[in-house]
Amino acid sequence: MSWIDIGHIDDIPLRGARVVKTPVGCVALFRTAKDEVFAASDTCPHKGGPLSEGIVHGQSVTCPLHNWVFDLNSGQAQGADEGQIATYSVQLDGDRILLDSTSLGQRSAA
Amino acid sequence: MKQKLVVIGAGMASGRVLEHLTDAAPDAFDITLFNAEPRGNYNRIMLSPVLAGDQTYEEIVTHDDAWYAERGITCRFGEKVVKIDRDLKVVEGENGHVPYDKLIFGTGSNPFMIPMPGHDLDGVIAYRDLEDTEQMMGMGAGNKVVVIGGGLLGLEAAAGMAARGADVTVVHIMGHLMERQLDPAAGYLLKKSLEEKGITVLLNAKSTEIAGKDGKARALLLEDGTELPCDLLVMAVGIRPNTALAQETGLAVGRGIHVDDQMITSDADIYAVGECVEHQGEVFGLVAPLYDQAKVLAQTLLGEDAAFKQRSLSTKLKVTGCDLFSAGDFAEGETREDIVFRDPARGVYKRLVLEGDKLVGAVMYGDTADSNWFFGLIRDAEDVSEMRETLIFGPAYQGGATADPLSAVAALPPEAEICGCNGVCKSEITAAIADGATDLGAIRATTKASASCGTCTGLVEQLLQVTLGDDFQMPTAQPICGCCDLTHEDVRRLIKSQELKSQEAVWQELGWKTLNGCHVCRPAVNYYLLADWPVEYQDDPQSRFVNERKHANIQKDGTFSVVPRMWGGITNPAELRAIADAAEKYDVPTVKVTGGQRIDLLGVKGADLPYIWSDLNKAGLVSGHAYSKGLRTVKTCVGTDHCRFGTQDSTGLGIKLEKLLWGSWTPHKLKLAVSGCPRNCAEATCKDIGLVCVDSGFQISIGGAAGMDVKETELLVQVPTEEEAIEVVMAVTQAYREGGKYLDRLYKWMAKVGLDWIRETVVDDLDNRRALAERFELSQSIYRKDPWAEQAKEAPRFAPMADLTLEAAE
């Protein structure tokens, strides 16, 4: 594990998301109502919609293009839709958001 | 020794007394019967069939000579009673004296003749006895007859003579026929059916004079100057108890001859019965209470205990082949509710009037089969709440406590009207179901049933269930989403009534099953909160769909479109230059003119948004809200500025409206247009709110759309001034904001509440109109601002939080 400081938690709106550009493409950092932070692919497997623009509810996000709903813990699409988004290790150190670079670097390292 | 009984008047009431008396005690009395008419008792009610030619006089005679002879009754018919000597107890007839022990007045009533000039001319008659009837029977083709009075008797007379070919006009002073027995709706149906029989009916018509020629009636003159020529004039305006003889005799007389509960007058040996009496202030014209009186009087004479009680009355009549029924009190009232059933095809109208859990009145026209049952419910003041849903279908559908509304629907005839708004009958719906319309939406699309006010939705669903059986799943009220058990309407109502002013309050108080809703319910709740509590509640961008959060429309590739506002579609070279510069600077791939008279810059990258907005702001351009569930555009034509047809300054009004309404949030998008004349170049009649200028003012129509559904607006109101037009538009917008379901366009809201309701409460109720406009203005004091200017300050938020691609490359 190699934790990279991405920023302050308040840089992300409550029940919102921000994007981080990475070697594996855009990763969305989600902040829930309870100040939990999740990291997952910003790209919906359905039509490539930007998940960081979706509505964050509970520990889920809804894609803004066609309302696919993803569980941010597992990356699994919910309901009738089938699909999965990659999830990444992220943690909070106080107010700082730390992202695991090894999980992001896999593709470029390979 | 037999007592001597003298009866004056051989009518239906006294006849019934004689029947009871001679049945119960054939030998008790020595009876003498006087009658001014030269005949005995006949059924006066049946004079109408005689007039119509359906029956003969012989058939309606109740008591013939043989009957009187059998009972030993001495008949003195055609002989008037001149005087009564109460001291000597003697009745003095024209042909001699008769002593009495007991005396009965059955003198009946006299027709009331309006004492207008000419009422005593020849050819002016009442409708009371066989002589009158015979005169009317002389009328046929080529004869003109006027009947004054639109009550039962007048209409019977009119119909009878019309059936004989006479040209008949009914003149009635009230606004609808038989106003004492019928409500206006039933009165209307009756008028229609009379007119179909060739009878002319004049309502609200006041007669002033009967013009004569050579001592004979020639024409009736009305107050408005109309002259109705006539060969015969029938006055059927009511009856008065015949009390003249009683008065001369010194009996207590008011409107009628006073009697007590035993039918005894102020003289202990003299009785009265029938239409001549007054009992506890009431006089009587219908046959049922008269028969009650007759029974009581017979018992009194036989020394039995009996008392006459007035009962609540129902009227069940057949006028000219139409069945009518009315009972109880059917006036409208604040505490009263109506259940109405109409079947225009069969000419059936039924109206039940409820007060609380009780049925208090009923009016029926065309089908009175169940009238006795309804009358029983009224008379016994029964609690009808359990069977309320199927009450109007009658007793056949009241299976005890478990009334099944489906059986009622199944039993409806094919021509029964289900949807009153669109005139859709049962057979049309069942045909549509057979053709594959198997849910409510499909029925609405194919037949329009339940597509207007929606009150028949339940009936249509029941019809689907009856027709399709288990293939149709009866929908229950749909909750907003899986997060809660409440419908949109419930949530809206509770937010207001419980004064819930935050999302947390809604989740908590309304039992949300999720932490903070989902993408379905949260935008709706956010909208409801900001619409109902504009001051207290803070709009939450994170509860908005991306377009409204980003103030731009997301495109399929994740880029956005930017549409600056052009007030009323008017722009200028400086604005156009700024737009052109921005398009070049941010590599906008597509520049397009929209249908709403705006310029759309498509393909702007998300991170560039705050910068392009900032540039456009500098040129005075603000957000066009082309993305919002709120005011979009006000489209205009050039009106009087340039157009030779323009009647008003449509462009100016459009700009004013847009400047007032911009920034407001509504349940769904809101598009307006103002056309300067009825040529309607701004296409106002397919907008949510459309204004068409005319010479005399502004026609405001609402409920248009040109999307998934194409709808033409419906005229709400025409107002004379621009100020009033603006207030109406603001009030309608606010009413829609306060009442509409999230994501319902205005036409859907209108379909639910009804255009009439909107007109009544939003337009005609001036206080409410003003209050709505004020509430709109209060909300606008917060929301009438440019979101681009605010968002542009937050530019960093539109950029990636970090760029790890560079570090990874190192």
Side-chain angles (χ1 to χ4, degrees):
Chain A
M1 296 259 186
S2 163
W3 298 104
I4 302 172
D5 186 320
I6 302 294
H8 195 275
I9 188 166
D10 288 342
D11 292 339
I12 309 176
L14 199 63
R15 289 171 296 151
R18 290 285 297 279
V19 167
V20 177
K21 284 190 173 179
T22 77
V24 296
C26 285
V27 167
L29 292 180
F30 299 93
R31 177 185 177 189
T32 69
K34 292 184 167 177
D35 277 342
E36 302 147 324
V37 177
F38 293 91
S41 166
D42 188 38
T43 308
C44 179
H46 175 219
K47 299 274 183 181
L51 296 174
S52 56
E53 306 287 5
I55 288 179
V56 178
H57 48 99
Q59 295 187 332
S60 305
V61 66
T62 300
C63 176
L65 290 195
H66 306 96
N67 290 334
W68 281 37
V69 179
F70 296 93
D71 182 336
L72 295 173
N73 292 288
S74 65
Q76 202 70 44
Q78 304 293 294
D81 300 317
E82 284 181 26
Q84 185 159 24
I85 50 172
T87 58
Y88 304 98
S89 301
V90 67
Q91 67 172 20
L92 274 175
D93 178 13
D95 292 334
R96 304 305 298 182
I97 301 165
L98 305 178
L99 192 59
D100 179 16
S101 67
T102 52
S103 64
L104 297 169
Q106 276 172 350
R107 200 181 294 166
S108 61
Chain B
M1 188 190 147
K2 278 192 186 182
Q3 290 205 78
K4 293 188 184 65
L5 175 67
V6 173
V7 182
I8 305 170
M12 294 175 70
S14 62
R16 185 55 72 92
V17 175
L18 294 176
E19 285 176 18
H20 285 307
L21 219 49
T22 52
D23 281 349
D27 300 319
F29 294 98
D30 182 1
I31 304 169
T32 302
L33 177 61
F34 280 94
N35 199 26
E37 276 186 71
R39 61 183 72 84
N41 183 18
Y42 61 93
N43 190 342
R44 253 172 233 278
I45 296 172
M46 301 307 279
L47 279 175
S48 297
V50 172
L51 173 60
D54 295 338
Q55 297 202 12
T56 63
Y57 167 69
E58 286 69 32
E59 286 174 294
I60 67 166
V61 169
T62 319
H63 301 152
D64 56 14
D65 293 347
W67 188 88
Y68 293 117
E70 232 170 67
R71 314 216 166 199
I73 296 169
T74 308
C75 297
R76 296 178 64 160
F77 293 161
E79 180 177 355
K80 282 186 181 158
V81 171
V82 181
K83 194 184 156 197
I84 293 158
D85 189 325
R86 285 164 61 190
D87 297 331
L88 296 173
K89 294 182 108 173
V90 166
V91 174
E92 191 181 317
E94 285 169 326
N95 302 328
H97 297 181
V98 182
Y100 70 84
D101 296 309
K102 304 283 182 194
L103 175 63
I104 299 175
F105 271 79
T107 46
S109 62
N110 292 323
F112 177 62
M113 303 300 279
I114 307 169
M116 69 173 108
H119 76 276
D120 46 4
L121 289 167
D122 257 4
V124 178
I125 61 168
Y127 182 18
R128 186 66 195 152
D129 56 27
L130 193 60
E131 279 72 27
D132 298 329
T133 309
E134 280 166 352
Q135 276 212 52
M136 286 191 263
M137 287 164 75
M139 292 292 117
N143 289 121
K144 285 185 192 301
V145 183
V146 171
V147 177
I148 303 178
L152 175 64
L153 268 183
L155 299 182
E156 292 281 14
M161 287 182 283
R164 290 177 175 275
D167 178 358
V168 182
T169 301
V170 174
V171 174
H172 191 46
I173 196 164
M174 305 301 286
H176 70 269
L177 296 173
M178 294 185 69
E179 72 282 352
R180 284 169 62 191
Q181 289 85 21
L182 299 179
D183 62 5
Y188 162 78
L189 284 171
L190 180 58
K191 173 168 179 274
K192 206 171 125 189
S193 107
L194 290 171
E195 285 166 347
E196 279 164 13
K197 293 176 200 295
I199 298 169
T200 307
V201 180
L202 302 178
L203 299 175
N204 297 310
K206 194 166 183 231
S207 314
T208 52
E209 186 183 340
I210 302 166
K213 190 184 173 191
D214 305 330
K216 196 176 174 316
R218 174 182 67 79
L220 177 69
L221 307 183
L222 302 184
E223 197 176 46
D224 65 2
T226 309
E227 184 175 317
L228 302 168
C230 58
D231 301 314
L232 184 70
L233 190 139
V234 180
M235 234 188 250
V237 292
I239 52 171
R240 295 278 167 85
N242 182 1
T243 58
L245 182 65
Q247 213 154 7
E248 286 165 22
T249 308
L251 296 178
V253 169
R255 283 198 293 157
I257 304 167
H258 285 168
V259 293
D260 63 11
D261 290 353
Q262 280 70 45
M263 311 313 295
I264 302 171
T265 66
S266 53
D267 181 323
D269 290 324
I270 302 181
Y271 309 81
V273 69
E275 287 178 339
C276 62
V277 310
E278 177 181 336
H279 176 260
Q280 290 176 3
E282 294 291 322
V283 296
F284 306 86
L286 296 169
V287 75
L290 303 192
Y291 282 169
D292 284 352
Q293 292 174 4
K295 193 172 179 187
V296 169
L297 175 53
Q299 288 173 306
T300 304
L301 286 167
L302 294 170
E304 294 167 21
D305 279 341
F308 172 63
K309 281 198 192 71
Q310 292 182 29
R311 297 186 302 182
S312 61
L313 286 180
S314 67
T315 319
K316 189 173 176 182
L317 307 164
K318 207 177 180 78
V319 182
T320 74
C322 309
D323 289 311
L324 306 175
F325 168 81
S326 73
D329 184 354
F330 46 86
E332 286 179 52
E334 260 182 38
T335 57
R336 293 181 171 179
E337 293 172 292
D338 286 343
I339 299 177
V340 175
F341 174 90
R342 296 177 202 262
D343 181 353
R346 284 196 301 148
V348 170
Y349 166 81
K350 300 184 186 185
R351 174 165 158 244
L352 303 179
V353 183
L354 288 101
E355 190 151 27
D357 296 330
K358 308 274 168 55
L359 184 65
V360 297
V363 182
M364 294 185 191
Y365 183 93
D367 174 7
T368 57
D370 298 328
S371 55
N372 288 339
W373 182 72
F374 287 115
F375 179 58
L377 294 177
I378 296 170
R379 187 191 51 214
D380 304 336
E382 266 187 55
D383 183 338
V384 297
S385 54
E386 290 287 319
M387 52 187 165
R388 192 180 157 125
E389 278 183 35
T390 55
L391 186 64
I392 200 146
F393 298 113
Y397 303 106
Q398 313 308 330
T402 56
D404 179 8
L406 288 182
S407 62
V409 172
L412 287 175
E415 67 275 17
E417 186 181 71
I418 301 289
C419 172
C421 297
N422 296 302
V424 185
C425 68
K426 181 181 168 182
S427 60
E428 287 173 64
I429 296 171
T430 48
I433 296 171
D435 288 344
T438 53
D439 60 37
L440 188 62
I443 294 288
R444 282 177 179 162
T446 51
T447 69
K448 298 203 77 182
S450 114
S452 290
C453 75
T455 49
C456 63
T457 302
L459 276 178
V460 174
E461 284 171 350
Q462 286 167 7
L463 205 47
L464 278 161
Q465 198 170 7
V466 166
T467 313
L468 296 173
D470 291 341
D471 291 341
F472 178 72
Q473 200 60 47
M474 192 70 122
T476 47
Q478 286 292 319
I480 295 180
C481 63
C483 298
C484 65
D485 297 324
L486 299 165
T487 63
H488 280 274
E489 290 76 10
D490 291 338
V491 169
R492 275 222 93 158
R493 209 180 53 241
L494 291 165
I495 283 175
K496 278 181 205 140
S497 63
Q498 298 192 19
E499 302 198 2
L500 307 178
K501 299 179 183 178
S502 69
Q503 286 190 14
E504 286 313 315
V506 172
W507 312 145
Q508 177 59 39
E509 299 302 328
L510 304 187
W512 240 253
K513 291 180 254 181
T514 51
L515 183 65
N516 44 29
C518 68
H519 64 275
V520 177
C521 59
R522 215 163 78 207
V525 168
N526 182 59
Y527 168 72
Y528 294 151
L529 285 165
L530 75 86
D532 288 337
W533 310 108
V535 179
E536 295 91 335
Y537 178 74
Q538 179 93 39
D539 180 30
D540 174 31
Q542 300 309 131
S543 299
R544 288 191 173 278
F545 181 62
V546 56
N547 289 353
E548 298 186 334
R549 182 162 10 100
K550 287 276 179 161
H551 297 278
N553 275 322
I554 194 165
Q555 306 297 311
K556 68 175 193 177
D557 60 356
T559 63
F560 293 86
S561 77
V562 169
V563 183
R565 192 168 284 286
M566 289 175 178
W567 309 99
I570 294 291
T571 184
N572 57 46
E575 285 182 355
L576 290 172
R577 206 167 280 124
I579 291 168
D581 287 346
E584 278 184 351
K585 182 173 173 186
Y586 298 99
D587 292 326
V588 173
T590 308
V591 180
K592 188 181 182 308
V593 174
T594 72
Q597 303 179 333
R598 307 295 139 102
I599 291 173
D600 193 353
L601 307 172
L602 292 125
V604 180
K605 289 178 264 315
D608 286 341
L609 285 173
Y611 304 102
I612 192 170
W613 292 340
S614 176
D615 287 1
L616 292 169
N617 273 172
K618 281 174 197 153
L621 291 158
V622 298
S623 168
H625 291 90
Y627 46 82
S628 76
K629 296 174 185 31
L631 179 82
R632 292 284 179 90
T633 59
V634 181
K635 192 173 173 176
T636 67
C637 68
V638 290
T640 43
D641 280 351
H642 301 278
C643 180
R644 66 202 162 101
F645 296 119
T647 62
Q648 310 275 358
D649 178 15
S650 51
T651 320
L653 176 55
I655 292 171
K656 277 184 199 160
L657 283 170
E658 190 157 349
K659 293 218 166 185
L660 281 168
L661 266 60
W662 78 295
S664 60
W665 298 103
T666 46
H668 206 304
K669 60 186 172 187
L670 186 73
K671 295 180 172 182
L672 272 70
V674 186
S675 283
C677 78
R679 286 168 191 76
N680 194 17
C681 295
E683 295 161 354
T685 49
C686 65
K687 298 291 182 270
D688 295 278
I689 302 176
L691 289 87
V692 175
C693 304
V694 290
D695 248 353
S696 52
F698 304 84
Q699 292 175 345
I700 303 169
S701 63
I702 61 173
M708 266 197 294
D709 296 314
V710 179
K711 300 270 178 195
E712 191 183 340
T713 53
E714 293 181 55
L715 182 65
L716 179 65
V717 66
Q718 176 169 335
V719 294
T721 65
E722 197 176 84
E723 290 69 36
E724 211 175 337
I726 289 170
E727 188 179 76
V728 169
V729 168
M730 286 170 68
V732 170
T733 304
Q734 182 65 11
Y736 167 51
R737 277 163 47 85
E738 290 178 3
K741 174 182 154 188
Y742 187 64
L743 298 187
D744 268 1
R745 283 286 288 273
L746 194 143
Y747 72 87
K748 289 192 179 172
W749 169 68
M750 181 169 105
K752 285 177 185 167
V753 301
L755 182 62
D756 290 342
W757 178 88
I758 298 173
R759 192 177 292 123
E760 264 169 45
T761 57
V762 178
V763 178
D764 295 343
D765 181 341
L766 294 181
D767 290 340
N768 194 44
R769 187 209 287 186
R770 187 148 307 127
L772 282 164
E774 278 168 12
R775 287 203 293 280
F776 183 73
E777 189 49 41
L778 173 69
S779 174
Q780 281 298 81
S781 68
I782 292 153
Y783 288 101
R784 191 188 286 133
K785 64 185 176 203
D786 179 24
W788 284 359
E790 303 201 341
Q791 295 282 314
K793 295 178 210 149
E794 306 268 336
R797 292 232 157 174
F798 289 78
M801 203 172 166
D803 188 346
L804 302 181
T805 52
L806 301 172
E807 290 170 37
E810 281 168 7

